Amino acid sequence: MTSEEKRELDIFMKGLRKRNPHETEFHQAVREVATSIMPWYLQHEEYRRAQILERITEPDRIITFRVTWETDSGEIRANRAWRVQFNHALGPYKGGLRFHPSVTQSVLKFLGFEQIFKNSLTGLPMGGAKGGSNFNPKGKSDREVMRFCQSMMTELHRHIGEDIDVPAGDIGVGGREVSYLFGQYMRLENRWSGVLTGKGLSFGGSAVRKEATGWGCVYFCDDMLKHHKIDIAGKRAAVSGSGNVALYAAQKLIDKGAKVVTLSDSGGMIHCPEGLTLDQWEELRILKEQDRGRLSSFESSGVNYHSGKNPWGVPCEIAIPCATQNELDEDDAKTLIANGVLAVAEGANMPTTAEAMHQLEENDVLHAPGKASNAGGVAVSGLEQSQNAMRISWAPEEVNQRLQKIMKDIHQRCVEFGEMPGKPVSYVNGSNIAGFKKVAEAMRAYGAV
Ligand code: NDP
């Protein structure tokens, strides 16, 4: 970066921090994008004059509301919920809902901001949004979760619609929650529309949606490795998380001949030095998806549980963080590098801290950022919207083929904008520039709106 580029970046970031005090996750996400695009942005006076960077970092609107619900024992609880409708230059707002005690406006703004560029990269007509609540579904009964979802939708339904804003799942929001939310939307609006994605297969859901983020991440990782003449087969892969993304990333890794040596949850990790078998994976899937169990209760030959540990100390060639933001820090990156890691492909959103990213870049580790490598989920959500609009449903093979093609195209766009002479492709720069450019073009074409 030249000194002029650095000066412009610092001035811009100073203003952003002043306008959005204390929103550290949002600052981090914006800085990453602004750092990548600044050289390109400064060469394009027309975008600067149109103030695209200032406008794209300001959400169109944020809706904040109270969600009141009743526990099984009759006590009243109140939570806070948000929908951040960030930018709809490319299509109706689209992005998941997260239920987790760590949810704040800053977290949802970072996620909504990232979503703009991710959705742009898919090539599908989708704007960026994110929403959620600080409600903790862990330990709640099905009926409590249902009452919470119904109460949340009682407010949210006014702000969404198939051509306005189409939410989906994220951490803490899976098939059960999407179904409760969708049922309440229909009750209030008295019509069926594809207003949420991630629905059950019998009521408008798409084949392969559940698998899409994890599988898509591994398709991207495989393309990235192939581009650098590395074979994924036989490589050890450390995966973090054991939710929707992690489980299906692990399944596809095994399918491609890699050895899945870890999975984790907020309590600890399982270590399997020889790699999980498909039978062990299926037992784990049942434990997590059907029984809502913890990894600490998983017992199988060759598998050890380590309480309080994350996977990054385990030797591996591929690291796939699939839990949450900032779960892989500078020390973790140094350990991975010392152990010979070749590639990091993000299943989660912004799982790598800024310092860890710097380490990976300095040491020529291939690094696929979430906005590129986990875009498979929202891509199949986009395909779910198309199927709903046409009142048809495609077979799993067809959706899977489209998913693979979308991930290949995203990889190609990253290479186009991220190639660096004598160095591995910068997927961070490539995804940021390619994603930004398309949204910027649309915003400029609309004039000052
Ligand atoms: P799930 O709720 O299904 O699973 C989350 C997993 O991560 C669980 O194993 C959970 O453990 C673990 N986890 C969550 N928070 C923490 C934490 N603070 N510390 C340690 N472990 C944690 O979520 P998803 O799999 O859907 O999402 C995972 C990531 O992928 C998120 O960053 C999400 O934004 C991103 N993503 C998801 C998409 C999707 O289609 N679902 C699409 C694109 C991105 P525990 O159960 O102990 O809390």
Side-chain angles (χ1 to χ4, degrees), residues 98 100 102 111 115 118 130 138 169-173 209-210 212-214 240-247 264-267 288 293-295 321-325 327 347-350 370 374-378:
R98 177 177 291 191
H100 195 271
S102 65
L111 289 164
Q115 197 81 42
K118 182 187 308 191
K130 200 81 186 189
K138 245 184 254 167
D170 189 73
I171 292 180
V173 179
R209 174 60 189 92
K210 191 171 66 171
T213 310
S240 69
S242 49
N244 174 261
V245 181
L247 276 178
S264 69
D265 60 23
S266 53
K288 298 302 293 186
R294 312 292 304 158
L295 285 182
C322 297
T324 194
Q325 63 269 11
E327 56 165 310
N349 286 311
M350 205 170 74
N374 73 30
V378 76

mmCIF file of all heavy atoms in Angstrom, residues 98 100 102 111 115 118 130 138 169-173 209-210 212-214 240-247 264-267 288 293-295 321-325 327 347-350 370 374-378, ligand 1:
data_model
loop_
_atom_site.group_PDB
_atom_site.id
_atom_site.type_symbol
_atom_site.label_atom_id
_atom_site.label_comp_id
_atom_site.label_asym_id
_atom_site.label_seq_id
_atom_site.Cartn_x
_atom_site.Cartn_y
_atom_site.Cartn_z
ATOM 1 N N ARG A 98 -29.583 -14.670 13.389
ATOM 2 C CA ARG A 98 -28.746 -15.359 14.382
ATOM 3 C C ARG A 98 -29.372 -15.219 15.764
ATOM 4 O O ARG A 98 -29.724 -14.107 16.166
ATOM 5 C CB ARG A 98 -27.337 -14.745 14.385
ATOM 6 C CG ARG A 98 -26.426 -15.343 15.437
ATOM 7 C CD ARG A 98 -25.010 -14.774 15.367
ATOM 8 N NE ARG A 98 -24.295 -15.210 14.166
ATOM 9 C CZ ARG A 98 -22.983 -15.036 13.976
ATOM 10 N NH1 ARG A 98 -22.261 -14.442 14.925
ATOM 11 N NH2 ARG A 98 -22.400 -15.435 12.877
ATOM 12 N N HIS A 100 -28.203 -15.827 19.480
ATOM 13 C CA HIS A 100 -27.063 -16.175 20.337
ATOM 14 C C HIS A 100 -26.904 -15.040 21.342
ATOM 15 O O HIS A 100 -27.101 -13.871 20.982
ATOM 16 C CB HIS A 100 -25.782 -16.333 19.486
ATOM 17 C CG HIS A 100 -24.663 -17.027 20.201
ATOM 18 N ND1 HIS A 100 -23.742 -16.338 20.968
ATOM 19 C CD2 HIS A 100 -24.317 -18.334 20.272
ATOM 20 C CE1 HIS A 100 -22.874 -17.213 21.480
ATOM 21 N NE2 HIS A 100 -23.201 -18.428 21.067
ATOM 22 N N SER A 102 -24.428 -13.552 22.305
ATOM 23 C CA SER A 102 -23.388 -12.577 21.932
ATOM 24 C C SER A 102 -23.861 -11.604 20.845
ATOM 25 O O SER A 102 -23.084 -10.752 20.415
ATOM 26 C CB SER A 102 -22.149 -13.322 21.432
ATOM 27 O OG SER A 102 -22.475 -14.017 20.237
ATOM 28 N N LEU A 111 -21.940 -8.508 9.993
ATOM 29 C CA LEU A 111 -22.438 -9.625 9.185
ATOM 30 C C LEU A 111 -23.221 -9.123 7.971
ATOM 31 O O LEU A 111 -23.075 -9.642 6.866
ATOM 32 C CB LEU A 111 -23.313 -10.547 10.044
ATOM 33 C CG LEU A 111 -22.553 -11.377 11.097
ATOM 34 C CD1 LEU A 111 -23.502 -11.944 12.141
ATOM 35 C CD2 LEU A 111 -21.778 -12.517 10.434
ATOM 36 N N GLN A 115 -22.270 -9.525 4.036
ATOM 37 C CA GLN A 115 -23.272 -10.197 3.203
ATOM 38 C C GLN A 115 -23.465 -9.488 1.858
ATOM 39 O O GLN A 115 -23.753 -10.124 0.850
ATOM 40 C CB GLN A 115 -24.603 -10.249 3.970
ATOM 41 C CG GLN A 115 -25.597 -11.248 3.427
ATOM 42 C CD GLN A 115 -25.343 -12.674 3.877
ATOM 43 O OE1 GLN A 115 -25.036 -12.916 5.042
ATOM 44 N NE2 GLN A 115 -25.441 -13.621 2.961
ATOM 45 N N LYS A 118 -20.640 -10.832 -0.356
ATOM 46 C CA LYS A 118 -20.822 -12.269 -0.574
ATOM 47 C C LYS A 118 -21.934 -12.500 -1.597
ATOM 48 O O LYS A 118 -21.782 -13.252 -2.552
ATOM 49 C CB LYS A 118 -21.205 -12.919 0.765
ATOM 50 C CG LYS A 118 -21.384 -14.405 0.709
ATOM 51 C CD LYS A 118 -21.933 -14.946 2.008
ATOM 52 C CE LYS A 118 -21.128 -14.507 3.212
ATOM 53 N NZ LYS A 118 -21.496 -15.242 4.430
ATOM 54 N N LYS A 130 -28.806 -8.699 7.554
ATOM 55 C CA LYS A 130 -28.610 -9.697 8.607
ATOM 56 C C LYS A 130 -29.520 -9.309 9.760
ATOM 57 O O LYS A 130 -29.890 -8.145 9.909
ATOM 58 C CB LYS A 130 -27.154 -9.696 9.085
ATOM 59 C CG LYS A 130 -26.740 -10.961 9.785
ATOM 60 C CD LYS A 130 -26.392 -12.073 8.810
ATOM 61 C CE LYS A 130 -26.130 -13.385 9.524
ATOM 62 N NZ LYS A 130 -25.587 -14.388 8.594
ATOM 63 N N LYS A 138 -30.271 -22.330 23.503
ATOM 64 C CA LYS A 138 -29.712 -23.498 24.196
ATOM 65 C C LYS A 138 -30.454 -23.728 25.519
ATOM 66 O O LYS A 138 -30.641 -22.796 26.302
ATOM 67 C CB LYS A 138 -28.234 -23.276 24.487
ATOM 68 C CG LYS A 138 -27.345 -24.258 23.738
ATOM 69 C CD LYS A 138 -25.901 -24.091 24.106
ATOM 70 C CE LYS A 138 -25.157 -23.413 22.977
ATOM 71 N NZ LYS A 138 -23.832 -22.957 23.369
ATOM 72 N N GLY A 169 -31.502 -18.855 7.995
ATOM 73 C CA GLY A 169 -30.910 -19.261 9.274
ATOM 74 C C GLY A 169 -29.477 -18.777 9.426
ATOM 75 O O GLY A 169 -28.885 -18.226 8.507
ATOM 76 N N ASP A 170 -28.938 -18.963 10.608
ATOM 77 C CA ASP A 170 -27.524 -18.709 10.915
ATOM 78 C C ASP A 170 -27.298 -19.407 12.258
ATOM 79 O O ASP A 170 -28.068 -20.319 12.618
ATOM 80 C CB ASP A 170 -27.231 -17.197 10.981
ATOM 81 C CG ASP A 170 -25.742 -16.883 11.070
ATOM 82 O OD1 ASP A 170 -25.040 -17.034 10.067
ATOM 83 O OD2 ASP A 170 -25.260 -16.503 12.154
ATOM 84 N N ILE A 171 -26.325 -18.972 13.042
ATOM 85 C CA ILE A 171 -26.066 -19.616 14.329
ATOM 86 C C ILE A 171 -27.357 -19.605 15.159
ATOM 87 O O ILE A 171 -28.005 -18.568 15.308
ATOM 88 C CB ILE A 171 -24.942 -18.878 15.097
ATOM 89 C CG1 ILE A 171 -23.607 -19.058 14.375
ATOM 90 C CG2 ILE A 171 -24.844 -19.383 16.538
ATOM 91 C CD1 ILE A 171 -22.436 -18.364 15.043
ATOM 92 N N GLY A 172 -27.730 -20.772 15.667
ATOM 93 C CA GLY A 172 -28.905 -20.878 16.549
ATOM 94 C C GLY A 172 -30.234 -20.861 15.818
ATOM 95 O O GLY A 172 -31.289 -20.969 16.449
ATOM 96 N N VAL A 173 -30.210 -20.700 14.506
ATOM 97 C CA VAL A 173 -31.459 -20.711 13.727
ATOM 98 C C VAL A 173 -31.318 -21.763 12.628
ATOM 99 O O VAL A 173 -30.637 -21.549 11.624
ATOM 100 C CB VAL A 173 -31.772 -19.315 13.125
ATOM 101 C CG1 VAL A 173 -33.063 -19.355 12.303
ATOM 102 C CG2 VAL A 173 -31.895 -18.272 14.236
ATOM 103 N N ARG A 209 -29.948 -27.365 0.501
ATOM 104 C CA ARG A 209 -29.746 -26.116 1.251
ATOM 105 C C ARG A 209 -28.993 -26.381 2.555
ATOM 106 O O ARG A 209 -28.089 -25.640 2.919
ATOM 107 C CB ARG A 209 -31.088 -25.394 1.528
ATOM 108 C CG ARG A 209 -30.929 -24.162 2.450
ATOM 109 C CD ARG A 209 -29.992 -23.125 1.832
ATOM 110 N NE ARG A 209 -29.617 -22.036 2.720
ATOM 111 C CZ ARG A 209 -28.540 -22.023 3.503
ATOM 112 N NH1 ARG A 209 -27.719 -23.064 3.558
ATOM 113 N NH2 ARG A 209 -28.260 -20.956 4.233
ATOM 114 N N LYS A 210 -29.403 -27.475 3.247
ATOM 115 C CA LYS A 210 -28.779 -27.776 4.540
ATOM 116 C C LYS A 210 -27.275 -28.024 4.368
ATOM 117 O O LYS A 210 -26.460 -27.597 5.177
ATOM 118 C CB LYS A 210 -29.469 -29.022 5.115
ATOM 119 C CG LYS A 210 -29.137 -29.323 6.533
ATOM 120 C CD LYS A 210 -30.019 -30.423 7.103
ATOM 121 C CE LYS A 210 -29.756 -31.751 6.433
ATOM 122 N NZ LYS A 210 -30.433 -32.885 7.103
ATOM 123 N N ALA A 212 -25.408 -26.927 1.839
ATOM 124 C CA ALA A 212 -24.776 -26.036 0.859
ATOM 125 C C ALA A 212 -23.562 -25.256 1.374
ATOM 126 O O ALA A 212 -22.559 -25.133 0.662
ATOM 127 C CB ALA A 212 -25.809 -25.055 0.317
ATOM 128 N N THR A 213 -23.621 -24.723 2.589
ATOM 129 C CA THR A 213 -22.512 -23.884 3.051
ATOM 130 C C THR A 213 -21.248 -24.738 3.250
ATOM 131 O O THR A 213 -20.163 -24.390 2.762
ATOM 132 C CB THR A 213 -22.870 -23.138 4.349
ATOM 133 O OG1 THR A 213 -24.130 -22.501 4.163
ATOM 134 C CG2 THR A 213 -21.830 -22.107 4.709
ATOM 135 N N GLY A 214 -21.403 -25.858 3.945
ATOM 136 C CA GLY A 214 -20.248 -26.734 4.195
ATOM 137 C C GLY A 214 -19.704 -27.342 2.910
ATOM 138 O O GLY A 214 -18.491 -27.319 2.663
ATOM 139 N N SER A 240 -13.353 -26.571 12.840
ATOM 140 C CA SER A 240 -13.926 -26.137 14.124
ATOM 141 C C SER A 240 -15.424 -26.007 13.975
ATOM 142 O O SER A 240 -15.944 -25.839 12.877
ATOM 143 C CB SER A 240 -13.330 -24.797 14.564
ATOM 144 O OG SER A 240 -13.773 -23.770 13.704
ATOM 145 N N GLY A 241 -16.120 -26.052 15.147
ATOM 146 C CA GLY A 241 -17.581 -26.049 15.146
ATOM 147 C C GLY A 241 -18.087 -27.466 14.922
ATOM 148 O O GLY A 241 -17.314 -28.383 14.535
ATOM 149 N N SER A 242 -19.359 -27.661 15.192
ATOM 150 C CA SER A 242 -20.010 -28.951 14.895
ATOM 151 C C SER A 242 -21.486 -28.686 14.617
ATOM 152 O O SER A 242 -22.342 -29.510 14.904
ATOM 153 C CB SER A 242 -19.851 -29.923 16.064
ATOM 154 O OG SER A 242 -20.217 -29.287 17.274
ATOM 155 N N GLY A 243 -21.750 -27.497 14.074
ATOM 156 C CA GLY A 243 -23.116 -27.135 13.699
ATOM 157 C C GLY A 243 -23.338 -27.406 12.228
ATOM 158 O O GLY A 243 -22.651 -28.237 11.611
ATOM 159 N N ASN A 244 -24.278 -26.679 11.653
ATOM 160 C CA ASN A 244 -24.672 -26.925 10.263
ATOM 161 C C ASN A 244 -23.482 -26.868 9.299
ATOM 162 O O ASN A 244 -23.266 -27.777 8.493
ATOM 163 C CB ASN A 244 -25.760 -25.914 9.868
ATOM 164 C CG ASN A 244 -26.108 -26.002 8.406
ATOM 165 O OD1 ASN A 244 -25.627 -25.206 7.606
ATOM 166 N ND2 ASN A 244 -26.894 -26.980 8.027
ATOM 167 N N VAL A 245 -22.692 -25.811 9.377
ATOM 168 C CA VAL A 245 -21.606 -25.626 8.403
ATOM 169 C C VAL A 245 -20.507 -26.669 8.618
ATOM 170 O O VAL A 245 -20.054 -27.327 7.669
ATOM 171 C CB VAL A 245 -21.039 -24.190 8.495
ATOM 172 C CG1 VAL A 245 -19.928 -23.996 7.479
ATOM 173 C CG2 VAL A 245 -22.143 -23.159 8.280
ATOM 174 N N ALA A 246 -20.083 -26.829 9.877
ATOM 175 C CA ALA A 246 -18.972 -27.740 10.178
ATOM 176 C C ALA A 246 -19.299 -29.176 9.785
ATOM 177 O O ALA A 246 -18.465 -29.879 9.178
ATOM 178 C CB ALA A 246 -18.656 -27.664 11.672
ATOM 179 N N LEU A 247 -20.502 -29.619 10.111
ATOM 180 C CA LEU A 247 -20.854 -31.023 9.851
ATOM 181 C C LEU A 247 -20.762 -31.356 8.362
ATOM 182 O O LEU A 247 -20.185 -32.372 7.977
ATOM 183 C CB LEU A 247 -22.291 -31.300 10.314
ATOM 184 C CG LEU A 247 -22.492 -31.641 11.786
ATOM 185 C CD1 LEU A 247 -23.980 -31.836 12.073
ATOM 186 C CD2 LEU A 247 -21.718 -32.895 12.186
ATOM 187 N N SER A 264 -15.339 -29.253 16.834
ATOM 188 C CA SER A 264 -15.365 -28.641 18.174
ATOM 189 C C SER A 264 -16.744 -28.059 18.481
ATOM 190 O O SER A 264 -17.592 -27.957 17.593
ATOM 191 C CB SER A 264 -14.298 -27.539 18.264
ATOM 192 O OG SER A 264 -14.650 -26.441 17.449
ATOM 193 N N ASP A 265 -16.946 -27.681 19.751
ATOM 194 C CA ASP A 265 -18.064 -26.817 20.103
ATOM 195 C C ASP A 265 -17.564 -25.876 21.198
ATOM 196 O O ASP A 265 -16.347 -25.858 21.481
ATOM 197 C CB ASP A 265 -19.337 -27.596 20.485
ATOM 198 C CG ASP A 265 -19.158 -28.523 21.674
ATOM 199 O OD1 ASP A 265 -18.226 -28.278 22.476
ATOM 200 O OD2 ASP A 265 -19.948 -29.467 21.807
ATOM 201 N N SER A 266 -18.455 -25.110 21.823
ATOM 202 C CA SER A 266 -17.949 -24.114 22.766
ATOM 203 C C SER A 266 -17.375 -24.767 24.029
ATOM 204 O O SER A 266 -16.705 -24.107 24.816
ATOM 205 C CB SER A 266 -19.037 -23.097 23.115
ATOM 206 O OG SER A 266 -20.187 -23.766 23.555
ATOM 207 N N GLY A 267 -17.577 -26.093 24.196
ATOM 208 C CA GLY A 267 -17.022 -26.779 25.369
ATOM 209 C C GLY A 267 -15.642 -27.370 25.134
ATOM 210 O O GLY A 267 -14.856 -27.532 26.073
ATOM 211 N N LYS A 288 -25.792 -34.464 16.893
ATOM 212 C CA LYS A 288 -25.936 -32.995 16.857
ATOM 213 C C LYS A 288 -27.299 -32.572 16.314
ATOM 214 O O LYS A 288 -27.944 -31.698 16.877
ATOM 215 C CB LYS A 288 -24.826 -32.353 15.995
ATOM 216 C CG LYS A 288 -23.423 -32.579 16.479
ATOM 217 C CD LYS A 288 -23.160 -32.077 17.884
ATOM 218 C CE LYS A 288 -23.214 -30.588 18.056
ATOM 219 N NZ LYS A 288 -22.820 -30.157 19.408
ATOM 220 N N GLY A 293 -27.142 -32.970 21.029
ATOM 221 C CA GLY A 293 -26.173 -33.361 22.063
ATOM 222 C C GLY A 293 -24.884 -32.562 21.983
ATOM 223 O O GLY A 293 -24.676 -31.748 21.081
ATOM 224 N N ARG A 294 -23.995 -32.794 22.944
ATOM 225 C CA ARG A 294 -22.693 -32.119 23.016
ATOM 226 C C ARG A 294 -21.599 -33.082 22.554
ATOM 227 O O ARG A 294 -21.717 -34.301 22.724
ATOM 228 C CB ARG A 294 -22.384 -31.686 24.464
ATOM 229 C CG ARG A 294 -23.495 -30.958 25.170
ATOM 230 C CD ARG A 294 -23.789 -29.596 24.594
ATOM 231 N NE ARG A 294 -22.605 -28.736 24.575
ATOM 232 C CZ ARG A 294 -22.488 -27.695 23.754
ATOM 233 N NH1 ARG A 294 -23.436 -27.398 22.902
ATOM 234 N NH2 ARG A 294 -21.405 -26.937 23.788
ATOM 235 N N LEU A 295 -20.487 -32.515 22.052
ATOM 236 C CA LEU A 295 -19.382 -33.365 21.603
ATOM 237 C C LEU A 295 -18.780 -34.157 22.767
ATOM 238 O O LEU A 295 -18.253 -35.249 22.566
ATOM 239 C CB LEU A 295 -18.279 -32.513 20.970
ATOM 240 C CG LEU A 295 -18.550 -31.963 19.571
ATOM 241 C CD1 LEU A 295 -17.345 -31.181 19.077
ATOM 242 C CD2 LEU A 295 -18.884 -33.074 18.583
ATOM 243 N N PRO A 321 -12.217 -23.141 9.713
ATOM 244 C CA PRO A 321 -12.967 -22.618 10.861
ATOM 245 C C PRO A 321 -14.448 -22.436 10.522
ATOM 246 O O PRO A 321 -14.774 -21.702 9.601
ATOM 247 C CB PRO A 321 -12.300 -21.264 11.151
ATOM 248 C CG PRO A 321 -11.557 -20.890 9.917
ATOM 249 C CD PRO A 321 -11.308 -22.139 9.119
ATOM 250 N N CYS A 322 -15.319 -23.097 11.275
ATOM 251 C CA CYS A 322 -16.759 -23.089 10.960
ATOM 252 C C CYS A 322 -17.601 -22.775 12.185
ATOM 253 O O CYS A 322 -18.766 -23.186 12.255
ATOM 254 C CB CYS A 322 -17.208 -24.447 10.438
ATOM 255 S SG CYS A 322 -16.438 -24.945 8.900
ATOM 256 N N ALA A 323 -17.040 -22.074 13.191
ATOM 257 C CA ALA A 323 -17.833 -21.805 14.404
ATOM 258 C C ALA A 323 -18.326 -20.362 14.421
ATOM 259 O O ALA A 323 -19.507 -20.096 14.206
ATOM 260 C CB ALA A 323 -17.021 -22.132 15.651
ATOM 261 N N THR A 324 -17.408 -19.401 14.635
ATOM 262 C CA THR A 324 -17.885 -18.032 14.856
ATOM 263 C C THR A 324 -16.788 -17.013 14.573
ATOM 264 O O THR A 324 -15.664 -17.390 14.249
ATOM 265 C CB THR A 324 -18.424 -17.909 16.304
ATOM 266 O OG1 THR A 324 -19.174 -16.706 16.424
ATOM 267 C CG2 THR A 324 -17.288 -17.921 17.323
ATOM 268 N N GLN A 325 -17.117 -15.731 14.727
ATOM 269 C CA GLN A 325 -16.136 -14.683 14.397
ATOM 270 C C GLN A 325 -14.958 -14.678 15.385
ATOM 271 O O GLN A 325 -15.127 -14.980 16.563
ATOM 272 C CB GLN A 325 -16.783 -13.286 14.355
ATOM 273 C CG GLN A 325 -17.374 -12.786 15.636
ATOM 274 C CD GLN A 325 -18.832 -13.152 15.786
ATOM 275 O OE1 GLN A 325 -19.354 -13.940 15.023
ATOM 276 N NE2 GLN A 325 -19.493 -12.592 16.779
ATOM 277 N N GLU A 327 -12.465 -16.567 15.978
ATOM 278 C CA GLU A 327 -12.142 -17.796 16.723
ATOM 279 C C GLU A 327 -10.711 -18.265 16.448
ATOM 280 O O GLU A 327 -10.233 -19.201 17.072
ATOM 281 C CB GLU A 327 -13.125 -18.914 16.361
ATOM 282 C CG GLU A 327 -13.173 -19.200 14.862
ATOM 283 C CD GLU A 327 -13.842 -20.521 14.510
ATOM 284 O OE1 GLU A 327 -13.476 -21.532 15.094
ATOM 285 O OE2 GLU A 327 -14.705 -20.525 13.626
ATOM 286 N N GLY A 347 -15.392 -21.338 6.759
ATOM 287 C CA GLY A 347 -16.811 -21.691 6.683
ATOM 288 C C GLY A 347 -17.618 -20.662 7.449
ATOM 289 O O GLY A 347 -18.735 -20.308 7.077
ATOM 290 N N ALA A 348 -17.041 -20.158 8.552
ATOM 291 C CA ALA A 348 -17.719 -19.142 9.376
ATOM 292 C C ALA A 348 -17.484 -17.756 8.775
ATOM 293 O O ALA A 348 -16.682 -17.587 7.852
ATOM 294 C CB ALA A 348 -17.182 -19.196 10.800
ATOM 295 N N ASN A 349 -18.182 -16.760 9.304
ATOM 296 C CA ASN A 349 -17.989 -15.375 8.888
ATOM 297 C C ASN A 349 -16.938 -14.715 9.780
ATOM 298 O O ASN A 349 -17.077 -14.731 11.008
ATOM 299 C CB ASN A 349 -19.315 -14.610 9.005
ATOM 300 C CG ASN A 349 -20.272 -14.993 7.896
ATOM 301 O OD1 ASN A 349 -19.903 -15.000 6.722
ATOM 302 N ND2 ASN A 349 -21.497 -15.352 8.263
ATOM 303 N N MET A 350 -15.907 -14.166 9.141
ATOM 304 C CA MET A 350 -14.802 -13.461 9.820
ATOM 305 C C MET A 350 -14.242 -14.242 11.027
ATOM 306 O O MET A 350 -14.061 -13.680 12.098
ATOM 307 C CB MET A 350 -15.272 -12.063 10.254
ATOM 308 C CG MET A 350 -14.164 -11.049 10.393
ATOM 309 S SD MET A 350 -14.792 -9.360 10.622
ATOM 310 C CE MET A 350 -15.381 -9.349 12.309
ATOM 311 N N GLY A 370 -14.429 -15.913 4.275
ATOM 312 C CA GLY A 370 -15.811 -16.410 4.308
ATOM 313 C C GLY A 370 -16.690 -15.857 3.208
ATOM 314 O O GLY A 370 -17.520 -16.576 2.657
ATOM 315 N N ASN A 374 -17.786 -19.285 1.986
ATOM 316 C CA ASN A 374 -19.036 -19.800 2.564
ATOM 317 C C ASN A 374 -20.275 -19.276 1.841
ATOM 318 O O ASN A 374 -21.401 -19.388 2.345
ATOM 319 C CB ASN A 374 -19.102 -19.570 4.085
ATOM 320 C CG ASN A 374 -19.342 -18.119 4.486
ATOM 321 O OD1 ASN A 374 -19.984 -17.361 3.757
ATOM 322 N ND2 ASN A 374 -18.860 -17.741 5.659
ATOM 323 N N ALA A 375 -20.074 -18.757 0.623
ATOM 324 C CA ALA A 375 -21.204 -18.187 -0.129
ATOM 325 C C ALA A 375 -22.154 -19.250 -0.683
ATOM 326 O O ALA A 375 -23.231 -18.914 -1.194
ATOM 327 C CB ALA A 375 -20.677 -17.329 -1.282
ATOM 328 N N GLY A 376 -21.790 -20.534 -0.567
ATOM 329 C CA GLY A 376 -22.650 -21.597 -1.095
ATOM 330 C C GLY A 376 -24.014 -21.628 -0.423
ATOM 331 O O GLY A 376 -25.023 -21.965 -1.055
ATOM 332 N N GLY A 377 -24.052 -21.268 0.872
ATOM 333 C CA GLY A 377 -25.330 -21.299 1.596
ATOM 334 C C GLY A 377 -26.308 -20.291 1.032
ATOM 335 O O GLY A 377 -27.450 -20.625 0.673
ATOM 336 N N VAL A 378 -25.850 -19.050 0.908
ATOM 337 C CA VAL A 378 -26.764 -18.027 0.402
ATOM 338 C C VAL A 378 -27.050 -18.264 -1.078
ATOM 339 O O VAL A 378 -28.140 -17.954 -1.572
ATOM 340 C CB VAL A 378 -26.236 -16.600 0.693
ATOM 341 C CG1 VAL A 378 -25.110 -16.192 -0.225
ATOM 342 C CG2 VAL A 378 -27.372 -15.591 0.577
HETATM 343 P P1 NDP B 1 -24.758 -23.536 14.207
HETATM 344 O O1 NDP B 1 -25.526 -22.844 15.255
HETATM 345 O O2 NDP B 1 -25.388 -24.671 13.466
HETATM 346 O O3 NDP B 1 -23.371 -24.063 14.796
HETATM 347 C C1 NDP B 1 -22.437 -23.209 15.367
HETATM 348 C C2 NDP B 1 -21.276 -24.032 15.893
HETATM 349 O O4 NDP B 1 -20.243 -23.157 16.305
HETATM 350 C C3 NDP B 1 -21.638 -24.885 17.109
HETATM 351 O O5 NDP B 1 -20.844 -26.036 17.124
HETATM 352 C C4 NDP B 1 -21.276 -23.943 18.263
HETATM 353 O O6 NDP B 1 -20.980 -24.621 19.483
HETATM 354 C C5 NDP B 1 -20.038 -23.265 17.717
HETATM 355 N N1 NDP B 1 -19.925 -21.923 18.305
HETATM 356 C C6 NDP B 1 -20.790 -20.882 18.144
HETATM 357 N N2 NDP B 1 -20.381 -19.804 18.844
HETATM 358 C C7 NDP B 1 -19.228 -20.191 19.445
HETATM 359 C C8 NDP B 1 -18.313 -19.536 20.296
HETATM 360 N N3 NDP B 1 -18.505 -18.264 20.663
HETATM 361 N N4 NDP B 1 -17.203 -20.241 20.705
HETATM 362 C C9 NDP B 1 -17.017 -21.518 20.325
HETATM 363 N N5 NDP B 1 -17.858 -22.197 19.522
HETATM 364 C C10 NDP B 1 -18.936 -21.546 19.096
HETATM 365 O O7 NDP B 1 -24.293 -22.386 13.176
HETATM 366 P P2 NDP B 1 -23.852 -22.514 11.665
HETATM 367 O O8 NDP B 1 -23.075 -23.765 11.462
HETATM 368 O O9 NDP B 1 -25.038 -22.257 10.817
HETATM 369 O O10 NDP B 1 -22.894 -21.248 11.509
HETATM 370 C C11 NDP B 1 -21.494 -21.294 11.814
HETATM 371 C C12 NDP B 1 -20.788 -20.123 11.162
HETATM 372 O O11 NDP B 1 -20.998 -20.161 9.730
HETATM 373 C C13 NDP B 1 -21.270 -18.723 11.594
HETATM 374 O O12 NDP B 1 -20.186 -17.829 11.542
HETATM 375 C C14 NDP B 1 -22.273 -18.359 10.491
HETATM 376 O O13 NDP B 1 -22.453 -16.960 10.366
HETATM 377 C C15 NDP B 1 -21.550 -18.936 9.276
HETATM 378 N N6 NDP B 1 -22.400 -19.178 8.109
HETATM 379 C C16 NDP B 1 -23.480 -20.013 8.180
HETATM 380 C C17 NDP B 1 -24.251 -20.257 7.060
HETATM 381 C C18 NDP B 1 -25.359 -21.257 7.064
HETATM 382 O O14 NDP B 1 -25.868 -21.546 5.966
HETATM 383 N N7 NDP B 1 -25.747 -21.814 8.181
HETATM 384 C C19 NDP B 1 -23.985 -19.552 5.792
HETATM 385 C C20 NDP B 1 -22.759 -18.761 5.800
HETATM 386 C C21 NDP B 1 -22.038 -18.567 6.931
HETATM 387 P P3 NDP B 1 -22.068 -24.618 20.682
HETATM 388 O O15 NDP B 1 -23.179 -25.501 20.204
HETATM 389 O O16 NDP B 1 -21.311 -25.133 21.845
HETATM 390 O O17 NDP B 1 -22.505 -23.173 20.848
#
